[in-house]
Amino acid sequence: MKKLIITLFAAAGAIFSAAAQGFPSEIYSGAWNSGHVQGIAVDKAEGAVYFSYTDVIVKTDFQGNVIGTVTGLLGHLGCLDFNEEDGLIYGSLEYKDDVIGQGILKRNKSDLKYENTFYIAIIDGKKIVRRDMDALKDGIVTCVNLPSVVADYEAKVEVGGKTIEHRLGCSGIDGVSFGPEFGKKGGKNYLMVCYGIYGDTERTDNDYQVILEFDTSKWIKKWAKPLEVGSLHRDGPAKPRKVFYAFTGNTNWGIQNLEYDPSTGYWFMAAYKGQKKQYPNYTLFAVDGSSKPVKQKLSGVPYVKKGLVVPLAESGLKDEATGIRGWNFKYGATGINSLGDGLFYISENSKTPEKLQQTTLRLYRFTGEPDQPFVSVK
């Protein structure tokens, strides 16, 4: 009974907090002829929401009114995060000559061909003021290249007597978020960037989530350049500041959305369900940001001597066989945004009858419960 009363008071407090801060219970993005929504970012001060629809950026207000759209990326824009320190949106941007890349070019009726290139896109959201703006001509997007990701993507490694492609299963990058360094509470914020990881069930070296840490404080002056899709630049830091590993078991395409939540100190990692039967294959994980990384041997990765491993938070379900913790939560892989005070906007994506892509951001409160980590706030 006591636990029920506490839960009711917490729910009432979350509802009051949401109303006081002007967060509606849902925000509809509109329907778009593009790839499915990949990520979201919220500028609370401006009252604006940004949606990545793979190769289209959509900006709305909190009532779902479209303020503007941006095209011309011709690449795969993934997870987004709003950086409160400079007022810009950061997102993972991929250019690959693979099925995904070719599909984007085909949808945009482009005959361009790309060399593999991975960027952090830096988006000036305040410049998005009308529909059908151009990422290049209107100066909305600049990019910073990540050459170390290309090196892992193109590498060949020896595992179990076989030569296989893509070191650590790297398919590129996706989840991004700003927050303090692992093992510290507060302090300077860094940009954490997660690898996309192939869901190959036969290899053993793709069971960790790979998280790159970057100090972006000098990026704008030193590295960021306008996007030129016909001539992709290679300017960027030679390597990340640090590389971390989180053992989750393999997930299909790695961490789709990464989000740091100051309320809990958790780094939430939303993924598509993995296929390896020896793992619980949760779709949501969390790293406790206050836990110090431990340098240790990586299981199943013979070509890395030791890596900085960050432990999963002691919350949610626990698989006794592997020790892996997480949740089976339906949403989050297409967008999750911490609003503070335990509140989140989480993307619930779908298609219209006409096959257009759409999403509704639903307001949720984090509970941490094993079977229901989030509950909607209405």
Side-chain angles (χ1 to χ4, degrees):
M1 184 66 179
K2 184 178 179 180
K3 183 177 180 181
L4 175 61
I5 292 172
I6 293 172
T7 302
L8 289 173
F9 270 112
I15 293 169
F16 176 78
S17 176
Q21 297 182 61
F23 298 131
S25 61
E26 61 182 53
I27 302 173
Y28 178 58
S29 72
W32 305 95
N33 182 21
S34 186
H36 73 75
V37 64
Q38 304 282 342
I40 60 174
V42 177
D43 181 345
K44 293 185 288 186
E46 187 185 0
V49 183
Y50 299 88
F51 302 83
S52 163
Y53 271 94
T54 309
D55 56 353
V56 176
I57 302 168
V58 178
K59 178 182 179 181
T60 75
D61 61 20
F62 278 1
Q63 287 68 50
N65 300 308
V66 176
I67 297 171
T69 61
V70 179
T71 60
L73 294 170
L74 298 183
H76 182 287
L77 183 65
C79 180
L80 303 177
D81 196 37
F82 180 76
N83 183 9
E84 293 185 356
E85 294 182 2
D86 60 18
L88 300 171
I89 301 105
Y90 289 66
S92 55
L93 181 60
E94 300 182 322
Y95 291 93
K96 296 186 294 185
D97 186 21
D98 63 359
V99 174
I100 295 174
Q102 291 165 8
I104 291 171
L105 293 175
K106 183 178 180 180
R107 184 167 60 246
N108 287 274
K109 300 179 180 179
S110 172
D111 58 359
L112 288 172
K113 292 188 179 298
Y114 294 127
E115 294 181 7
N116 300 318
T117 312
F118 302 101
Y119 289 121
I120 294 298
I122 304 174
I123 303 161
D124 190 341
K126 296 204 169 35
K127 290 184 178 180
I128 305 175
V129 294
R130 64 180 186 277
R131 291 178 183 250
D132 299 321
M133 298 188 75
D134 189 281
L136 284 71
K137 296 176 183 177
D138 293 310
I140 293 169
V141 179
T142 57
C143 293
V144 174
N145 186 34
L146 303 182
S148 64
V149 181
V150 177
D152 277 351
Y153 176 77
E154 295 182 343
K156 294 183 179 180
V157 292
E158 296 291 326
V159 179
K162 294 182 180 179
T163 301
I164 52 180
E165 296 182 323
H166 311 297
R167 186 184 293 123
L168 297 163
C170 175
S171 73
I173 54 175
D174 218 324
V176 300
S177 186
F178 283 93
E181 188 169 14
F182 292 121
K184 296 183 179 180
K185 294 182 179 180
K188 181 171 180 165
N189 284 339
Y190 294 90
L191 177 66
M192 303 293 184
V193 180
C194 292
Y195 275 7
I197 294 176
Y198 287 112
D200 186 341
T201 60
E202 300 299 321
R203 63 194 295 174
T204 64
D205 63 335
N206 61 347
D207 292 335
Y208 288 86
Q209 303 303 332
V210 183
I211 307 169
L212 312 181
E213 178 189 277
F214 293 97
D215 181 351
T216 64
S217 58
K218 298 180 180 179
W219 273 20
I220 301 298
K221 290 183 178 180
K222 190 172 184 179
W223 302 118
K225 287 190 175 181
L227 177 66
E228 295 288 347
V229 297
S231 179
L232 299 175
H233 77 79
R234 298 291 189 272
D235 292 341
K239 60 182 181 179
R241 185 172 179 269
K242 292 182 180 180
V243 179
F244 301 97
Y245 302 87
F247 187 73
T248 63
N250 182 251
T251 53
N252 197 17
W253 299 108
I255 297 306
Q256 295 293 296
N257 267 251
L258 177 72
E259 181 70 0
Y260 176 69
D261 174 43
S263 297
T264 58
Y266 284 1
W267 292 83
F268 287 97
M269 304 185 296
Y272 298 137
K273 189 178 181 69
Q275 301 300 318
K276 290 188 178 181
K277 295 180 180 179
Q278 66 267 39
Y279 298 122
N281 295 316
Y282 301 131
T283 55
L284 180 68
F285 306 89
V287 169
D288 185 345
S290 65
S291 298
K292 289 187 177 182
V294 178
K295 197 166 189 178
Q296 60 188 50
K297 176 66 179 173
L298 301 184
S299 176
V301 189
Y303 49 82
V304 176
K305 290 183 179 180
K306 288 187 177 181
L308 287 171
V309 176
V310 288
L312 298 177
E314 294 184 5
S315 185
L317 300 166
K318 182 179 180 180
D319 179 60
E320 295 300 331
T322 62
I324 294 171
R325 304 197 69 143
W327 296 270
N328 294 310
F329 187 62
K330 184 176 181 180
Y331 301 111
T334 62
I336 179 170
N337 192 106
S338 169
L339 301 168
D341 297 328
L343 296 172
F344 292 78
Y345 273 131
I346 299 179
S347 165
E348 299 181 1
N349 65 300
S350 60
K351 287 184 181 180
T352 69
E354 297 77 24
K355 305 300 182 183
L356 299 178
Q357 297 287 346
Q358 62 183 353
T359 193
T360 295
L361 302 191
R362 190 84 55 198
L363 188 64
Y364 281 90
R365 176 179 58 83
F366 178 65
T367 69
E369 294 295 326
D371 295 324
Q372 193 176 21
F374 293 94
V375 293
S376 61
V377 178
K378 298 181 180 179

